[in-house]
Amino acid sequence: MQINSTTLQLFSPFNRTVGNPVQYEINSQKEFEYFLDKNNGIKDCSSSVYSLSGKLDKVWFDFDGKGAFEDARKVYQYLKEKNAKCIPVISGKKGIHLHLLIKSDINVDSANAKAILMDTVTTIAHEALGLKDWSQETSLDWTKAGVLRVTCRIPNTLRPPENSSYCSYIPEDWYTLSNSELWSYAKQPNEFHYTGKILPIDAEAKDGPGGY
């Protein structure tokens, strides 16, 4: 299964884990594509969000359940107002995933990486959703915020065993669509062009990437 340029951007470098439910380590694009060839449509295809030994290159948001589309729209619109490059994905079930791309010199395995990620998610959730902390009701999955070994579904893969929907990319203007229009993009693999800047974040960041 050949991956597109957006998937390549999200999951390279390929020193990471793949699998579901058991994750195992891979080290190349060839191994990543082989995993997809063997599992797509048979098992859920998941990968670690971050490489095992690389830099922090994204902030991942997982919205699931009641209010997921609405909360994700608010966060996405907030990020787009900052001209941030953010890759939106429909999970194929009840969720939306947002991959906010960042650039940094922060190693994934560094002592402060988790705190920086958590601070960034908390700041954005406060600004976009009005949340003060994790105790308030929201569709944002706080259990995955700041987790360095968190996994996500790989876009453009089927959702077995029914195989009636895909975890798939959605267009850049998805927040303007109705829920029913949005669901149409979960019926097939998709590829879109996404604009915006990959904003910097550093080890001293207090307000998130780009000064959010």
Side-chain angles (χ1 to χ4, degrees):
M1 179 178 175
Q2 187 173 8
I3 60 175
N4 64 30
S5 59
T6 304
T7 303
L8 182 64
Q9 184 174 34
L10 287 182
F11 295 99
S12 61
F14 288 96
N15 175 220
R16 61 181 60 245
T17 62
V18 294
N20 196 335
V22 178
Q23 293 269 314
Y24 64 91
E25 185 174 344
I26 61 167
N27 291 284
S28 68
Q29 180 177 342
K30 182 178 180 180
E31 288 179 288
F32 188 85
E33 292 175 342
Y34 179 82
F35 164 74
L36 294 176
D37 284 336
K38 293 298 182 182
N39 291 278
N40 188 30
I42 301 171
K43 296 179 180 179
D44 286 311
C45 294
S46 296
S47 169
S48 56
V49 171
Y50 303 101
S51 67
L52 297 177
S53 57
K55 308 292 185 182
L56 288 184
D57 59 358
K58 67 179 71 69
V59 182
W60 185 62
F61 300 85
D62 181 13
F63 300 88
D64 193 33
K66 183 180 178 180
F69 287 11
E70 291 72 21
D71 286 346
R73 282 188 179 98
K74 292 176 182 177
V75 170
Y76 184 80
Q77 286 180 271
Y78 170 81
L79 295 172
K80 295 307 290 181
E81 287 171 1
K82 303 291 185 180
N83 196 30
K85 188 169 186 178
C86 186
I87 310 300
V89 175
I90 189 167
S91 72
K93 296 289 185 181
K94 301 176 182 178
I96 296 287
H97 303 160
L98 299 179
H99 298 259
L100 169 63
L101 303 187
I102 60 173
K103 55 184 175 182
S104 79
D105 291 322
I106 305 164
N107 292 323
V108 170
D109 56 1
S110 65
N112 59 346
K114 178 179 176 64
I116 290 170
L117 281 178
M118 179 59 84
D119 286 348
T120 301
V121 172
T122 301
T123 298
I124 293 173
H126 173 69
E127 295 292 333
L129 299 174
L131 298 177
K132 294 181 179 179
D133 56 45
W134 58 267
S135 64
Q136 293 179 264
E137 184 176 356
T138 177
S139 65
L140 175 62
D141 189 346
W142 281 109
T143 67
K144 298 176 182 177
V147 179
L148 296 169
R149 292 293 178 255
V150 68
T151 63
C152 69
R153 297 187 186 280
I154 300 170
N156 287 349
T157 58
L158 283 159
R159 293 298 306 267
E162 297 88 354
N163 287 337
S164 60
S165 65
Y166 283 79
C167 173
S168 192
Y169 295 109
I170 49 181
E172 191 168 53
D173 66 347
W174 71 273
Y175 59 94
T176 67
L177 305 177
S178 68
N179 287 357
S180 60
E181 290 173 322
L182 189 55
W183 263 108
S184 68
Y185 290 98
K187 299 302 180 182
Q188 69 282 316
N190 300 302
E191 183 172 7
F192 301 101
H193 174 66
Y194 300 103
T195 61
K197 294 182 179 180
I198 300 177
L199 300 178
I201 188 172
D202 59 49
E204 303 302 322
K206 300 297 182 183
D207 298 312
Y212 294 145

